[in-house]
């Protein structure tokens, strides 16, 4: 319905998706099928980055685990094209970067302690593991909150887990970049000594588009000169709010109210 509202045209428009394609609404299977199918008729394929729920789906599938009570994966696992969908999803990155347009997107954002270029390299480290490495071992060791603080000295799975957590789960951080994993509510609920990741000055002025933090309702609360640098586009559709599309060229927003 949102695509109808913005008169989406496969041949003219390119769609970017900010992750959590699944588990946040009533029809995850058809959502995956629709997004994967874009580009099949010669138009632009969708650009997709992985969110924490997409990674959780992949881990549940590849490790053959029982879905959790709140998961809505049964329909996907029962589908004839499940394997194809999972292979396609596993090959999606954690970050998209359009260097010329000075534009990047990741599910939760990019911490202020990483330049955009640095973030892109870290994204490639995880993507290589998911596409060509031991992805089952990755999924097995992916869950966990440690290390909460980034260091260039992290190696192996600790490093990949930290990168994944920054890209897909970050909300509040400390000045040194350490992540909080407990608070998922609004800006007023910051734990002591933590601030929203986008409130700290970044090393470059690339515009960052992100989802994940539904409680923001699409509003970072920023008022300064950098307010447009951070585009929160999750407007809480999962809780009955609207679903939002941002026109990358004009920065105009469109919301479908359910
Ligand atoms: Mn999320």
């Amino acid at each position: 319905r949102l695509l109808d509202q913005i008169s989406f045209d496969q041949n003219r428009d390119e769609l970017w998706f900010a992750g959590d394609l699944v588990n946040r609404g009533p029809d995850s299977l058809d959502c995956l099928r629709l997004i994967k199918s874009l580009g099949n008729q010669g138009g632009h394929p969708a650009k997709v980055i992985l969110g924490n729920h997409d990674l959780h789906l992949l881990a549940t599938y590849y490790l053959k685990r029982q879905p959790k009570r709140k998961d809505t994966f049964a329909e996907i696992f029962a589908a004839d094209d499940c394997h194809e969908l999972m292979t396609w999803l596993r090959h999606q990155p954690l970050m998209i970067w359009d260097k010329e347009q000075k534009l990047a997107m990741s599910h939760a954002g990019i911490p202020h302690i990483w330049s955009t270029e640095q973030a892109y390299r870290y994204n490639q480290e995880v993507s290589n593991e998911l596409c060509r490495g031991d992805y089952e071992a990755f999924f097995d060791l992916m869950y966990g909150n440690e290390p909460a603080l980034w260091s260039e000295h992290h190696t192996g799975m600790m490093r990949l887990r930290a990168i994944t957590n920054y890209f897909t789960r970050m909300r509040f951080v400390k000045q040194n970049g350490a992540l909080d994993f407990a608070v998922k509510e609004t800006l007023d609920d910051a734990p002591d000594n933590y601030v929203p990741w986008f409130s700290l000055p970044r090393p470059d002025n690339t515009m960052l588009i992100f989802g994940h933090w539904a409680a923001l309702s699409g509003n970072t609360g920023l008022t300064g000169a950098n307010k447009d640098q951070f585009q929160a586009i999750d407007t809480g559709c999962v809780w009955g709010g609207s679903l939002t599309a941002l026109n990358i060229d004009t920065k105009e927003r469109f919301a479908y109210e359910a």
Side-chain angles (χ1 to χ4, degrees):
R1 288 173 191 156
L2 177 58
L3 294 182
D4 288 342
Q5 194 175 318
I6 61 176
S7 308
F8 169 67
D9 175 349
Q10 294 214 39
N11 298 312
R12 180 192 61 194
D13 303 319
E14 180 177 277
L15 285 176
W16 296 19
F17 290 89
D20 283 358
L21 310 181
V22 300
N23 231 8
R24 308 275 79 191
D27 199 355
S28 293
L29 175 60
D30 275 339
C31 181
L32 287 176
R33 283 174 172 162
L34 171 73
I35 297 171
K36 179 173 176 284
S37 76
L38 293 170
N40 284 358
Q41 269 97 51
H44 300 284
K47 287 194 174 168
V48 175
I49 46 101
L50 296 169
N52 49 316
H53 285 277
D54 308 310
L55 287 166
H56 177 55
L57 168 69
L58 289 169
T60 306
Y61 174 74
Y62 283 108
L63 301 176
K64 301 181 176 62
R65 290 200 177 150
Q66 272 306 105
K68 297 214 171 80
R69 192 174 49 85
K70 284 185 177 170
D71 289 337
T72 56
F73 300 156
E75 213 189 8
I76 299 172
F77 293 156
D80 289 344
D81 52 350
C82 177
H83 181 72
E84 248 180 279
L85 290 167
M86 295 304 96
T87 305
W88 168 78
L89 192 62
R90 179 165 57 78
H91 283 77
Q92 306 308 315
L94 295 176
M95 174 182 170
I96 294 169
W97 183 26
D98 186 324
K99 203 173 174 177
E100 264 172 39
Q101 288 200 73
K102 289 191 160 189
L103 195 65
M105 181 171 79
S106 68
H107 181 61
I110 297 175
H112 69 292
I113 51 172
W114 298 350
S115 69
T116 305
E117 190 164 356
Q118 204 178 349
Y120 192 72
R121 287 202 311 271
Y122 297 153
N123 145 71
Q124 285 177 314
E125 291 184 33
V126 172
S127 225
N128 283 336
E129 198 67 12
L130 287 178
C131 297
R132 287 172 285 280
D134 187 351
Y135 53 86
E136 286 179 13
F138 173 89
F139 289 130
D140 194 30
L141 297 167
M142 171 184 82
Y143 295 94
N145 296 345
E146 299 297 327
L149 175 60
W150 174 250
S151 162
E152 190 53 72
H153 302 297
H154 291 321
T155 58
M157 195 53 214
M158 293 296 269
R159 180 180 178 90
L160 297 181
R161 184 198 286 153
I163 294 169
T164 305
N165 282 339
Y166 275 101
F167 276 124
T168 64
R169 297 175 63 202
M170 173 175 64
R171 288 188 184 89
F172 291 106
V173 302
K174 279 187 181 170
Q175 188 71 44
N176 67 359
L179 292 165
D180 167 75
F181 292 103
V183 178
K184 301 178 176 179
E185 287 83 17
T186 65
L187 299 175
D188 298 329
D189 302 299
D192 287 346
N193 302 315
Y194 286 84
V195 294
W197 66 269
F198 46 75
S199 69
L200 295 163
R202 288 193 50 74
D204 56 66
N205 61 1
T206 298
M207 175 177 280
L208 303 183
I209 303 166
F210 64 101
H212 186 59
W213 200 341
L216 294 179
S217 303
N219 189 352
T220 58
L222 295 171
T223 52
N226 63 344
K227 100 185 198 329
D228 292 333
Q229 189 185 350
F230 302 95
Q231 298 283 344
I233 59 167
D234 190 324
T235 43
C237 190
V238 64
W239 300 320
S242 59
L243 186 66
T244 289
L246 172 76
N247 181 324
I248 289 173
D249 298 325
T250 64
K251 309 299 180 281
E252 193 179 355
R253 280 168 178 248
F254 300 86
Y256 177 78
E257 309 280 347

